[in-house]
Amino acid sequence: MKGADPSNGLEPAVPHMSRRQVLTLLPAAGLAALPLPARAAAGVDHARLLANTVAMFAGTPEVNARPEVAGKLAAITGTAGQRLAAMDRAGDGELFSGLPLGANDANLRLAFQYLYEMALATRTPGGGLDGDAAVQRRVVDGLQWLHERHYGDQSAGYYGNWHTWEIGISTHVSRTLVLLAEPLREHRPGLTQTYVASMDAYLRNGKDGDVDLDSRFHTGANLADITANRILQGALTGDDARVGKAISDQATVFATIDPYDLRHGVTDGYYRDGSFIQHHSVAYTGSYGRILLTRVVQTLKMLDGATGGGTSDLAGVVYGWIADGFAPLIFEGWMMEIVKGRAVSRTASGYGDVGTIVEAVADLADHVQGADALALKKYVRHLPAADTAAFVSPVSIARYAAIRADAAIPAADLNPPERCVAFNAMDRTVHRRPGYAFALARNSDRISKYEYMNGENLMPWFQGEGAYHLYLAGEDQREVFGVDYYTTVSPYRLAGITAPVEERRTVPELYGRFWYENPGHPLNFTSSSESQNRYVYFPRAGNAFSGGATLGAYGAAGMVQSDDAAYTAAQAGLLPDDFVVHRNARATKSWFMLDAEIVVLAAGISGQDGREAVTTVDSRIAAPGDAVTLTGEGWDGRAWQAGDTAPPRWLRYANGTRRTAVGYAFLTRQPVAAGLETVTRSRRVVRAANPDTAVTKNVFTASVTHPATGAVPALAYALVPHATESRLRRYADGPLTVLANSRHVQAIKHETLGIVAVNVFADGPRQAGRLLVDGPASVIVRHGERTTVGLSDPTMKRDRVAVVLRGAPLKLVKADEGVTVRRVPGGTLVQATTRHAHGRTFTATLR
């Protein structure tokens, strides 16, 4: 089940599956979840399900004999040996040395993880501890010890993070119970049922010890985790109804989210345009989306042959997630930062993120049919070699190695060479060309400005404020982005943002803890309350305009910068007096994504409250020893030098060591502050749990200051990847023209491409060149042998959008459903019915 061809000007199309359609695809066991016990008894082969699970995590004798798996076996055995040594050194009141229990939920989760790692080694064929009954007995006794002292007492448990108790511990326990099912029956025959009862009781955000699909905690990746655990628990206890209910609950994550027909009020999951949202409003493909992908593929593997039906149709849905949700966000094996939420502050790299996706892709290739299976295998060969040491399953390592070694499978990207993807459902845009990729993060009253939580991503304030990443081919992205980018680049100078000149403090600095605590207030501020989410962890914006149109492989996006929900609530007197809020700067912005350049327009810029504002054209980092040079030229043709106050016509940043360069062609005249600075900071400044590792980088920043007097209210420039100086000089004579740049209309024309692109932010009609646009809209028109038009409603609130193409009347060749074309005095009217389209682009071809 493939999505639409992304080269035809349509939005990416993840296979659209309603909940009803998903349920019809489930095997009998899935439908058993419907609350009738007789239907639940439709039969699941529990032994097969459990054997599949053991093989998935521990491997098989045949697989584990392969040389590619040897490293994984050694790692499993070595980790178990470390855990055994820690158990041997345990002091009074400890199960493992150095892991005090009783007050720290993370330590308790680790204790269960350590037991799982020991159990896994005893079930891994070919491993050094395979079949070691003594170790198995120690694990069983450890489970008993933890339950008696730290887990079984419901009145003493459930401190710290809810995730620990409802997901983290249950995941390790459920898998351990599966691995050691026989020793448990022999030595502690009632312990499995005892643990299942306790895990049910800890589902406090559920209902009657089970999943509650109406709970804001039981959605998306979290729901997949919980239900995967409950499938295993049901198989262990021979409970068909439990297995069937868990399968049915997990099946809801396969259903495409329809924002106009929400089920259980859930906005978490995959959208028609490939977007993925978790935490109700956070763009999260690169973190929670990965977790969900991993878990559902593991479920497909667990259920293989254990139910009465097949799951290939569901696997086809997951194929769509990969092709249209993940692939656009992966550049040369690196997961883009714009969809990682608070995980951008972690030390794990974007390459490691993609490694977990590659494992799922290799596994999924065995569950989809024909062309889709081949496409996935081609993609596995296209991506850089993954670090299989991070793979969960030895079987996956062997499967991955076989695909990589198969010379009959040609390497091929799931992306066409040129692609522009508007993930408007999560306020993200990705623009790809051979040699570079551009990734843009926006926000709105639908999507959060950033995500902070649990001491992670401590300085996130402007990460969704039009921040962008320009990835260049051939780079080791760990050297130019990742955690070190956020560590060494000022949070007020992220590439692309307009920020007020002020200093902010982190949540721990403000409140002395990782959240704002005030349970006595009517909004009930606790660590996991809805108010904490809304005003601290991931606040949304106040603007509706955020989105854009695509036309073939070209794109336009726009955003109106606004205050966040906390500031707005504070002005209304809704928040406590000691709750700190910040007023944002104002700006109206557009990004027009072409072939050789990305054109950025900004207008109506103000720092508000008598403050200056600063727009950062770019910030890039390099190793201190890299040969970095800055060159430029003024509008008078003279060479530009750092410190010049005269406006530059162009600047060029070049890293001679890495043989990369980015040019900045300015289309308006204003002073630009650009220079290099050596910065050393600890990675702990962005995440409290990071190691206190000092990072030194050579930081380049180019920025424009907007005085509080109102001077420099607008600017326009083009980012030019891989630019040479001679190429930058040519922008003086075209091909770019700024047709409009105000708070109401922003538009450009590219003469060579025959493209006119416009964002209208105000009620209309508004004119840009020969286009007349009726009210808020995003429009791209390309002239040639035929004229093609793409238009969308970035506010997601309009019933229809329209544009008049002035000039000789044009005839309709073809158009998307919902598009009408007719002659009007002076030109041709193209109108699209955008009601409930959620920002989707509508296209028409004219002659």
Side-chain angles (χ1 to χ4, degrees):
M1 298 177 66
K2 290 187 177 180
D5 176 5
S7 66
N8 65 3
L10 299 177
E11 300 274 347
V14 171
H16 181 70
M17 304 290 288
S18 69
R19 175 171 164 77
R20 181 179 299 276
Q21 289 171 314
V22 165
L23 290 176
T24 64
L25 298 176
L26 285 172
L31 295 178
L34 306 171
L36 299 175
R39 295 177 70 179
V44 178
D45 186 340
H46 298 145
R48 176 65 180 270
L49 192 157
L50 295 173
N52 287 346
T53 304
V54 173
M56 180 168 61
F57 292 117
T60 66
E62 296 76 19
V63 163
N64 292 3
R66 295 187 55 159
E68 302 93 341
V69 184
K72 184 67 174 180
L73 299 191
I76 290 173
T77 302
T79 298
Q82 295 173 14
R83 305 315 181 211
L84 281 165
M87 184 177 272
D88 290 338
R89 298 193 306 269
D92 291 341
E94 290 183 332
L95 184 61
F96 296 95
S97 175
L99 205 64
L101 301 174
N104 186 319
D105 63 306
N107 281 358
L108 182 60
R109 180 189 56 78
L110 282 172
F112 283 110
Q113 176 184 321
Y114 292 175
L115 290 178
Y116 163 74
E117 290 165 343
M118 293 164 59
L120 178 63
T122 70
R123 294 300 310 276
T124 301
L129 295 175
D130 182 22
D132 193 316
V135 173
Q136 291 178 346
R137 181 64 184 268
R138 294 186 74 176
V139 174
V140 170
D141 291 344
L143 287 172
Q144 180 73 29
W145 189 90
L146 285 174
H147 194 276
E148 289 177 349
R149 300 190 182 203
H150 296 287
Y151 186 71
D153 185 352
Q154 292 285 318
S155 64
Y158 214 87
Y159 46 87
N161 193 316
W162 76 272
H163 189 280
T164 298
W165 301 92
E166 301 203 24
I167 296 177
I169 290 174
S170 296
T171 297
H172 296 308
V173 169
S174 299
R175 293 175 181 178
T176 304
L177 296 178
V178 170
L179 291 167
L180 300 187
E182 288 300 325
L184 280 160
R185 275 193 286 269
E186 180 180 351
H187 300 296
R188 304 268 185 190
L191 190 57
T192 293
Q193 190 61 60
T194 297
Y195 259 103
V196 170
S198 292
M199 288 187 284
D200 285 352
Y202 278 120
L203 276 177
R204 298 187 186 178
N205 288 298
K207 186 176 182 180
D208 300 326
D210 198 354
V211 165
D212 180 5
L213 294 178
D214 291 316
S215 169
R216 64 186 174 93
F217 296 89
H218 292 189
T219 63
N222 290 334
L223 176 62
D225 280 334
I226 294 169
T227 51
N229 293 337
R230 293 181 70 78
I231 290 170
L232 296 180
Q233 296 157 15
L236 283 165
T237 57
D239 189 342
D240 268 324
R242 186 187 192 94
V243 174
K245 170 70 161 53
I247 291 173
S248 180
D249 287 340
Q250 187 172 126
T252 63
V253 305
F254 290 91
T256 305
I257 299 295
D258 180 353
Y260 307 104
D261 186 20
L262 295 176
R263 302 299 182 177
H264 306 283
V266 172
T267 56
D268 289 354
Y270 283 94
Y271 288 69
R272 185 174 180 176
D273 67 1
S275 298
F276 177 81
I277 290 174
Q278 186 79 27
H279 289 165
H280 316 295
S281 59
V282 179
Y284 236 148
T285 314
S287 186
Y288 274 97
R290 290 190 301 111
I291 295 169
L292 176 60
L293 175 66
T294 295
R295 203 64 71 237
V296 298
V297 172
Q298 288 177 349
T299 300
L300 293 175
K301 292 162 68 177
M302 288 193 306
L303 296 178
D304 189 22
T307 64
T311 54
S312 61
D313 289 313
L314 293 179
V317 174
V318 182
Y319 174 89
W321 296 352
I322 293 169
D324 291 331
F326 284 95
L329 293 160
I330 297 172
F331 181 70
E332 296 189 339
W334 179 269
M335 172 56 66
M336 297 177 179
E337 282 80 359
I338 61 170
V339 288
K340 292 177 63 172
R342 69 185 189 271
V344 295
S345 65
R346 298 173 188 169
T347 55
S349 80
Y351 297 122
D353 295 333
V354 172
T356 63
I357 296 167
V358 168
E359 180 175 9
V361 170
D363 288 336
L364 188 67
D366 277 1
H367 293 271
V368 294
Q369 306 299 316
D372 288 353
L374 180 59
L376 291 178
K377 291 177 181 179
K378 289 179 177 179
Y379 191 48
V380 167
R381 283 180 52 82
H382 164 78
L383 291 171
D387 178 9
T388 58
F391 281 24
V392 172
S393 174
V395 178
S396 303
I397 294 174
R399 182 178 290 116
Y400 172 78
I403 296 172
R404 293 282 296 185
D406 190 345
I409 302 173
D413 197 351
L414 284 171
N415 296 284
E418 299 180 346
R419 189 176 192 182
C420 190
V421 183
F423 292 113
N424 284 332
M426 62 177 177
D427 283 352
R428 299 294 187 267
T429 306
V430 172
H431 185 66
R432 303 174 65 101
R433 288 294 185 274
Y436 77 88
F438 174 78
L440 172 68
R442 308 184 311 276
N443 61 67
S444 66
D445 55 8
R446 306 172 300 273
I447 298 298
S448 300
K449 285 176 173 278
Y450 55 80
E451 188 197 42
Y452 156 83
M453 194 185 293
N454 297 333
E456 294 191 293
N457 206 19
L458 289 164
M459 300 182 291
W461 309 297
F462 303 101
Q463 288 172 4
E465 212 70 81
Y468 49 67
H469 291 66
L470 180 59
Y471 302 95
L472 303 178
E475 284 272 28
D476 181 344
Q477 303 299 338
R478 291 170 297 191
E479 297 297 322
V480 288
F481 289 115
V483 65
D484 290 347
Y485 177 83
Y486 294 99
T487 297
T488 54
V489 173
S490 164
Y492 314 101
R493 297 293 183 272
L494 303 178
I497 70 169
T498 297
V501 176
E502 66 177 9
E503 293 292 325
R504 298 188 180 189
R505 291 183 291 163
T506 68
V507 168
E509 289 170 340
L510 288 171
Y511 308 120
R513 62 180 78 200
F514 289 156
W515 61 88
Y516 174 73
E517 182 78 6
N518 193 344
H521 189 271
L523 291 176
N524 182 34
F525 283 94
T526 63
S527 63
S528 59
S529 66
E530 290 192 58
S531 297
Q532 199 79 223
N533 292 348
R534 183 178 297 114
Y535 301 121
V536 180
Y537 291 159
F538 28 87
R540 301 184 194 187
N543 57 292
F545 196 112
S546 178
T550 57
L551 185 64
Y554 301 99
M559 185 187 80
V560 176
Q561 195 162 306
S562 67
D563 295 318
D564 67 12
Y567 182 85
T568 302
Q571 302 316 296
L574 300 178
L575 299 183
D577 291 340
D578 64 340
F579 191 101
V580 178
V581 297
H582 299 277
R583 191 177 192 189
N584 198 11
R586 291 290 185 272
T588 298
K589 291 190 172 183
S590 291
W591 301 265
F592 300 108
M593 292 154 282
L594 306 171
D595 285 329
E597 60 274 303
I598 298 97
V599 183
V600 184
L601 271 57
I605 302 170
S606 169
Q608 303 287 299
D609 293 339
R611 303 171 301 181
E612 293 184 340
V614 175
T615 296
T616 302
V617 174
D618 205 0
S619 286
R620 305 190 73 82
I621 63 174
D626 284 0
V628 175
T629 57
L630 301 180
T631 55
E633 192 171 275
W635 288 74
D636 58 4
R638 295 181 182 178
W640 175 93
Q641 293 182 339
D644 278 359
T645 57
R649 181 183 285 276
W650 59 264
L651 298 175
R652 182 175 182 266
Y653 167 89
N655 187 323
T657 304
R658 300 193 173 277
R659 299 182 180 179
T660 57
V662 181
Y664 313 94
F666 293 96
L667 309 175
T668 49
R669 303 190 187 203
Q670 64 282 306
V672 178
L676 297 166
E677 179 185 9
T678 301
V679 176
T680 300
R681 291 197 184 98
S682 167
R683 288 175 175 159
R684 195 168 285 174
V685 301
V686 294
R687 180 172 179 259
N690 280 348
D692 191 13
T693 303
V695 175
T696 299
K697 291 291 182 180
N698 204 347
V699 179
F700 160 72
T701 303
S703 61
V704 176
T705 296
H706 309 276
T709 58
V712 195
L715 74 155
Y717 59 91
L719 298 171
V720 188
H722 306 294
T724 62
E725 292 187 3
S726 61
R727 181 170 154 199
L728 289 167
R729 289 189 181 98
R730 288 198 291 271
Y731 280 95
D733 301 316
L736 291 171
T737 303
V738 176
L739 299 177
N741 187 16
S742 71
R743 291 187 300 109
H744 305 300
V745 185
Q746 293 179 329
I748 60 105
K749 179 179 181 179
H750 193 290
E751 193 70 41
T752 306
L753 295 176
I755 285 177
V756 174
V758 55
N759 288 322
V760 172
F761 301 90
D763 292 340
R766 302 283 174 168
Q767 187 163 345
R770 299 177 68 84
L771 303 183
L772 190 65
V773 182
D774 181 23
S778 183
V779 180
I780 308 175
V781 177
R782 190 175 192 189
H783 299 285
E785 291 184 9
R786 293 182 175 180
T787 297
T788 53
V789 182
L791 61 168
S792 74
D793 168 26
T795 71
M796 302 190 188
K797 298 179 184 296
R798 304 189 66 197
D799 289 339
R800 62 190 58 83
V801 295
V803 58
V804 174
L805 283 64
R806 294 187 179 278
L810 300 172
K811 294 182 179 180
L812 175 65
V813 176
K814 62 179 179 179
D816 292 342
E817 183 179 354
V819 177
T820 59
V821 177
R822 62 184 175 89
R823 295 183 181 183
V824 295
T828 305
L829 172 69
V830 181
Q831 182 171 277
T833 301
T834 54
R835 176 175 170 78
H836 288 184
H838 211 58
R840 181 165 60 91
T841 297
F842 293 81
T843 62
T845 301
L846 314 171
R847 61 178 172 82

